């Protein structure tokens, strides 16, 4: 004998994003954000194009990338002319470009959502799948009888539910990309905080220790995954928190953060 586990999940989605007055205020903020995004993309492109114009005005791209010739008429000794390839030597520029591309994709997706996807999805309030059979009034009648199903209405119901599930999955992917974009913007804010010397002590320290932190995260991830695999192997058959590898990894991370409630479940079972 075995156990059949039944799990349910409820997902809510707003298919009418601009319905109330507060939604119109949000629309105004979205337009402002879109304008600021266009300005950011223009400034980043101007930064790259200005380096190209400064370094490769009289020579080819490859030649100027192989040389460090000073600008014509430069008075200071040791001055090195900036080159277009210098833009790609900074990791922050890669982070900025990736974040801008991701934000632009999210903005285009949201415009498509508000103009086409949400407008095309028009479900009905009720679907006449079954038609009730008229019966004489009986006070003891505890069931209601129905005739044969309406196949056209049943097909429409299944089609709308399938489309709703697809839209929900798209919205979840969109929200996940928004979370990634927000984390990248937090990392970019560390770069912006370097203008003040007291704050730059923290940002510069993180920047200098980034290599060591990266290797530490690799070791921590390997150790956590090892314990998660062992937890799933030895406890997965009797403890729900370790029933799968993903759940086991999540449980180990929660335990590392200080949650010890899972220890009671392990000991009791």
């Amino acid at each position: 004998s075995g156990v059949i586990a039944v799990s349910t999940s409820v997902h809510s989605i707003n298919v009418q994003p601009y319905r109330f007055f507060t939604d119109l205020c949000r629309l105004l903020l979205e337009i402002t954000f879109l304008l600021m995004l266009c300005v950011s993309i223009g400034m980043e492109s101007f930064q790259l194009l200005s380096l190209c114009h400064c370094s490769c005005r009289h020579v080819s791209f490859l030649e100027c990338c192989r040389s460090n010739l000073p600008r014509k008429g430069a008075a200071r000794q040791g001055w090195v002319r900036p080159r277009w390839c210098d833009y790609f030597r900074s990791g922050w520029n890669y982070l900025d470009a990736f974040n801008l591309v991701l934000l632009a994709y999210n903005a285009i997706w949201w415009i498509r959502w508000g103009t086409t996807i949400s407008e095309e999805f028009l479900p009905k309030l009720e679907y006449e799948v079954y038609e009730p059979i008229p019966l004489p009034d009986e006070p003891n009648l505890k069931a209601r009888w129905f005739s044969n199903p309406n196949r056209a209405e049943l097909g429409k119901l299944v089609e709308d539910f399938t489309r709703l599930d697809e839209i929900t999955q798209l919205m979840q992917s969109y929200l996940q990309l928004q979370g990634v974009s927000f984390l990248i913007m937090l990392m970019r804010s560390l770069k912006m905080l370097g203008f003040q010397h007291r704050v730059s002590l923290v940002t510069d320290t993180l920047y200098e220790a980034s290599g060591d932190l990266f290797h530490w995260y690799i070791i921590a991830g390997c150790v956590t995954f090892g314990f998660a695999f062992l937890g799933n192997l030895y406890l997965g058959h009797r403890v729900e928190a370790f029933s799968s590898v993903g759940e086991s990894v999540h449980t180990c991370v929660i335990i590392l953060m200080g949650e010890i409630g899972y220890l009671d479940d392990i000991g009791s079972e």
Side-chain angles (χ1 to χ4, degrees):
S1 63
V3 178
I4 299 177
V6 178
S7 60
T8 59
S9 61
V10 178
H11 304 282
S12 61
I13 187 172
N14 183 13
V15 295
Q16 294 179 337
Y18 305 107
R19 183 179 179 184
F20 303 103
F21 177 76
T22 54
D23 297 331
L24 298 179
C25 296
R26 187 186 63 184
L27 176 61
L28 180 61
L29 294 176
E30 290 173 353
I31 294 175
T32 304
F33 171 79
L34 184 61
L35 294 176
M36 295 176 63
L37 177 62
C38 294
V39 172
S40 299
I41 295 176
M43 293 177 61
E44 199 71 21
S45 301
F46 178 77
Q47 179 183 0
L48 177 59
L49 293 177
S50 61
L51 288 176
C52 294
H53 177 75
C54 178
S55 60
C56 302
R57 189 173 182 179
H58 303 291
V59 294
S60 63
F61 277 82
L62 295 178
E63 183 180 354
C64 77
C65 194
R66 289 193 295 263
S67 62
N68 284 326
L69 297 177
R71 189 196 300 253
K72 183 178 180 180
R76 291 182 300 175
Q77 296 294 330
W79 184 88
V80 178
R81 181 176 59 185
R83 299 171 298 171
W84 68 275
C85 55
D86 292 339
Y87 178 87
F88 300 99
R89 292 177 178 174
S90 175
W92 291 110
N93 291 330
Y94 287 99
L95 194 65
D96 294 342
F98 178 72
N99 190 209
L100 292 176
V101 171
L102 195 59
L103 290 175
Y105 173 80
N106 290 336
I108 295 173
W109 190 94
W110 183 256
I111 293 173
R112 181 170 172 263
W113 162 262
T115 56
T116 59
I117 299 178
S118 61
E119 294 292 334
E120 293 175 355
F121 181 71
L122 298 173
K124 297 175 17 178
L125 294 178
E126 61 180 12
Y127 296 84
E128 299 293 339
V129 177
Y130 295 98
E131 296 181 359
I133 299 176
L135 297 176
D137 295 336
E138 296 183 10
N140 296 326
L141 189 63
K142 298 184 181 299
R144 189 163 181 169
W145 298 86
F146 295 87
S147 63
N148 293 330
N150 188 342
R151 297 183 181 275
E153 286 291 313
L154 181 60
K156 179 63 175 174
L157 175 62
V158 174
E159 181 182 352
D160 288 344
F161 267 103
T162 303
R163 181 56 179 166
L164 180 60
D165 182 68
E166 294 175 356
I167 292 176
T168 304
Q169 296 295 331
L170 287 175
M171 180 57 69
Q172 289 181 352
S173 301
Y174 168 78
L175 294 177
Q176 291 174 358
L177 289 178
Q178 287 287 57
V180 174
S181 300
F182 182 75
L183 291 177
I184 296 177
M185 284 189 288
L186 286 179
M187 297 177 63
R188 293 177 63 191
S189 64
L190 297 177
K191 173 186 175 183
M192 304 300 177
L193 294 176
F195 69 94
Q196 213 275 342
H197 67 281
R198 292 181 180 271
V199 181
S200 63
L201 290 176
V202 179
T203 58
D204 293 343
T205 301
L206 291 176
Y207 180 76
E208 293 295 333
S210 59
D212 297 332
L213 290 175
F214 176 74
H215 291 89
W216 181 86
Y217 279 120
I218 292 177
I219 296 175
C222 293
V223 173
T224 303
F225 184 79
F227 278 103
F229 180 77
L230 290 176
N232 175 252
L233 182 63
Y234 291 105
L235 303 173
H237 64 285
R238 60 188 182 92
V239 181
E240 183 179 1
F242 296 92
S243 58
S244 64
V245 177
E247 290 290 335
S248 184
V249 171
H250 179 264
T251 303
C252 289
V253 172
I254 295 299
I255 293 176
L256 285 175
M257 293 182 178
E259 176 61 42
I260 60 175
Y262 296 101
L263 301 179
D264 298 333
D265 298 336
I266 295 174
S268 62
E269 298 186 16

